[in-house]
Amino acid sequence: MQQKYHKYASLTKIDNQVLQNKTLLFNVEETLLKSFSMFPYFMLVAFEGGGPLRALVLLIVYPFMCILKEEMRLKAMIFICFFGIKKARFTIGRTVLPKFFLENVGDGSLEVVMRFGRKVGVTNLPRIMVEGFLMDYLGIEDIVGREIKVLGGYYTGLLDVGVVNDEQEMIFAHIMSQSQKVGICCINKCFQTPPFTYCKDIYYVSKDDKKRWNNLPRDKYPKTLIFHDGRLAFMPTPGDTLVMFIWLPFGFILSISRVLITILLPYQLSLPILAFIGLRYPTSMPLSLKHIHMQHTTSSINKIPKGMIYVCNHKTVLDSIYISYICRMNCSLLFYGISKLSAFLSPLNTIALTRNREKDAAIMHKVLRQGRNIVMCPEGTTCREPYLLRFSPFFAEISDDIIPVALQLNVSMFYGTTASGMKAFDPFCLMMNPWPSYYVQFLDKLPEACTCGSGGRTKFEVANYVQDVIGKALGYKCTALTRKDKYSILVGNNGLVN
């Protein structure tokens, strides 16, 4: 079939109605991504799916693979990253990779691609790596990619070429039967190879076009990114990955030291030492709240117990510890599902709740009557992105003495939370960051008019009010999503821990 070649920029001049009647075939990596190197995405697969040892092997071998031709280098990385990985447990393409793909999308490409009616993504990567990104976040269901052979439920790391060819023929036979014209976006010479040879018109992207692109802003994502998993908090380019592995031994020692200092030393000693070795915890507290804290201290001295409930958004398992350290007050941590190791190492008094409302309410009333403060995270689970999940209204029934607390966390290397990994390692992974920064903002105590007891508000109104107050303080968007929504997306269960 004779092809006509057009400059990519001319697509913006075509009427939208004409575009909707066309079917677009595009190379995913070379059309959507502003800058593309296969290594970071395979490193994410190796580290998150196979562990640090597999990732180290990939990093060591990669310089030698650069000598190979592109196709051979791709096959070598696929083998190293996928060999021996259980297919049923491979969820990285849906839970980890989409975040890094979205952060690399160019604004000039996606706008044009999304204007077409039917879109077919063609990728050089294994289909399992890109289908979560394309289907869940861009709404592109027709994907032509490589398949990896499976033996006994485990990936062999070898490409199943026959499956790929059969799928290509099936998809494009259907396309050609439905569409008279086919548009395509590509770069370099990929339009000279199947399946792009089926196309009548070719629109290509030049390197100069890509230089003018900016990274797609978060508010322009076709679907909002709220939940994602994985331990790595940075794009693992070869240089950054090398720095990470050099840092790991020091980070491990630093993490253990920080945990031991927190457990063994009193506030007065541990806080300055932790600040000296890299922990940052800037805080702000209104004058009215400082007055309340002084009253609480006086009441404790006079043996007039009156505990308060600190309600905060949930960033990591260490939220309560940070709040307690900054307040320098006796706080209790109430939890449903933290690991036994985290509960054992916690310097706070940890109390396990039962998910029985009457029993849990009795436990909390007892703690408050003893003059101890309670720190609660009504979201029920952590959220890494600037969104607040729905607040459980249980705390509103317990007391009117409620203080909202807004938390922000910045990490540069490792996330201190996980949905599918081992939660016992969460505090250690957080402490392995060179300079983890917790920002704690204490807000004004809840007005009596906005409480259940004195104000006559329903528990749902109070919970929504507190969520809104914290959201405005952080600049976060409030959602109606829950723990069950998060875990159903990332893990496939309801997030309950026995």
Side-chain angles (χ1 to χ4, degrees), residues 160-178:
D160 197 338
V161 180
V163 173
V164 175
N165 289 339
D166 291 344
E167 184 178 359
Q168 287 178 351
E169 292 294 336
M170 180 178 63
I171 291 178
F172 286 105
H174 179 72
I175 291 174
M176 298 306 293
S177 65
Q178 298 294 324

Side-chain angles (χ1 to χ4, degrees), residues 70 91 130 135 147 231 285 311 314 346 363-364 399 471 474:
E70 184 177 354
T91 60
V130 301
M135 297 175 66
E147 299 290 345
R231 289 293 189 187
M285 185 181 298
V311 178
H314 201 7
S346 174
I363 293 173
M364 295 176 67
S399 173
L474 295 172

Side-chain angles (χ1 to χ4, degrees), residues 242-382:
L242 177 61
V243 171
M244 179 196 70
F245 276 106
I246 294 174
W247 171 256
L248 273 181
F250 302 99
F252 178 77
I253 297 173
L254 186 61
S255 176
I256 299 298
S257 302
R258 287 167 170 171
V259 172
L260 291 178
I261 290 171
T262 304
I263 297 173
L264 300 178
L265 297 182
Y267 294 127
Q268 293 80 357
L269 291 178
S270 61
L271 283 176
I273 294 175
L274 291 173
F276 179 75
I277 60 177
L279 283 185
R280 301 172 180 174
Y281 42 90
T283 182
S284 66
M285 185 181 298
L287 293 176
S288 60
L289 191 56
K290 290 182 180 180
H291 180 66
I292 292 174
H293 281 190
M294 292 182 64
Q295 284 184 330
H296 182 274
T297 304
T298 305
S299 298
S300 299
I301 295 174
N302 296 330
K303 298 182 179 180
I304 303 175
K306 186 181 180 182
M308 307 192 72
I309 299 180
Y310 291 84
V311 178
C312 62
N313 57 308
H314 201 7
K315 284 302 183 182
T316 72
V317 72
L318 303 183
D319 295 342
S320 303
I321 297 176
Y322 268 87
I323 293 174
S324 177
Y325 267 48
I326 292 171
C327 291
R328 291 176 171 83
M329 292 195 300
N330 184 19
C331 293
S332 295
L333 167 61
L334 278 67
F335 68 91
Y336 287 110
I338 67 172
S339 68
K340 293 181 179 179
L341 179 61
S342 297
F344 174 76
L345 295 176
S346 174
L348 302 183
N349 178 38
T350 56
I351 302 174
L353 297 180
T354 63
R355 296 194 186 277
N356 181 300
R357 298 183 67 85
E358 294 182 358
K359 292 182 179 180
D360 292 342
I363 293 173
M364 295 176 67
H365 282 300
K366 180 180 179 180
V367 172
L368 293 173
R369 285 196 300 268
Q370 293 174 350
R372 287 184 289 171
N373 300 296
I374 294 176
V375 180
M376 296 191 66
C377 304
E379 287 181 290
T381 186
T382 58

Side-chain angles (χ1 to χ4, degrees), residues 3-21:
Q3 295 177 322
K4 298 179 180 179
Y5 303 97
H6 302 280
K7 179 66 177 175
Y8 173 79
S10 64
L11 283 178
T12 59
K13 300 178 181 179
I14 300 178
D15 183 72
N16 285 337
Q17 188 64 35
V18 176
L19 288 177
Q20 292 174 0
N21 295 328

